[in-house]
Amino acid sequence: MRPGEVDGKGYYIVSKEEFLSMVDKSELLKYALVYGDYKGISKKHFRNYLAKGYDIVLRVDTQGAQTLTKTLTNSAVFIFLVGESELELVERLIDRKTETAESLLVRIATAREEVKHAKNFGYLVMNAEGR
């Protein structure tokens, strides 16, 4: 859990053991190891929100989008969100003060790879500062 995150507000935090148990029981819509942390989407929570009539917005990486494309077929819209430039991304990450130098390099390298997959999304949105 990062500083400022609260279990149940935007995220549900579970132990590594509980997460791996959920994987074994096929309780996750999608899951992955991202930047050293396990991340996933609970089928139960997903279905509960759908049953209530909510539109669901998921923030996933390209790997997650690829998995969800297969699972959700034509019932989802995929939007690739990109910053104005790599420099802007680096500045935002530095301003967050949550990254070590090593993790910053990993995130930059990952972003470089992920942008290559933008063409696989239905929409591309530029996250421009102040707009």
Side-chain angles (χ1 to χ4, degrees):
M1 189 178 318
R2 291 187 296 220
E5 289 181 341
V6 177
D7 186 27
K9 278 197 155 193
Y11 299 98
Y12 294 94
I13 311 298
V14 298
S15 69
K16 178 180 177 182
E17 292 74 23
E18 186 176 351
F19 186 92
L20 294 175
S21 173
M22 293 172 77
V23 169
D24 288 341
K25 295 176 188 174
S26 296
E27 294 177 356
L28 299 173
L29 190 61
K30 77 101 192 157
Y31 64 92
L33 183 62
V34 181
Y35 303 121
D37 294 317
Y38 288 100
K39 300 190 184 241
I41 299 169
S42 160
K43 288 179 183 177
K44 176 184 166 187
H45 287 121
F46 188 82
R47 289 181 184 134
N48 286 344
Y49 284 109
L50 279 180
K52 292 177 182 176
Y54 287 107
D55 291 326
I56 301 172
V57 177
L58 303 172
R59 184 177 57 107
V60 298
D61 62 5
T62 55
Q63 178 185 347
Q66 184 177 19
T67 299
L68 291 172
T69 298
K70 294 174 189 169
T71 305
L72 302 175
T73 58
N74 296 326
S75 63
V77 174
F78 291 88
I79 302 167
F80 191 90
L81 186 62
V82 64
E84 291 178 86
S85 67
E86 187 174 296
L87 177 60
E88 181 69 24
L89 169 67
V90 171
E91 289 173 352
R92 288 180 187 189
L93 287 170
I94 290 170
D95 288 346
R96 282 182 7 180
K97 295 179 175 56
T98 58
E99 307 300 321
T100 63
E102 182 178 291
S103 66
L104 183 62
L105 292 174
V106 169
R107 286 189 177 263
I108 294 165
T110 301
R112 284 179 181 157
E113 285 303 309
E114 287 193 336
V115 78
K116 294 176 185 176
H117 298 278
K119 65 185 178 300
N120 299 327
F121 288 70
Y123 297 90
L124 177 82
V125 173
M126 183 179 292
N127 184 9
E129 186 69 33
R131 297 201 229 144

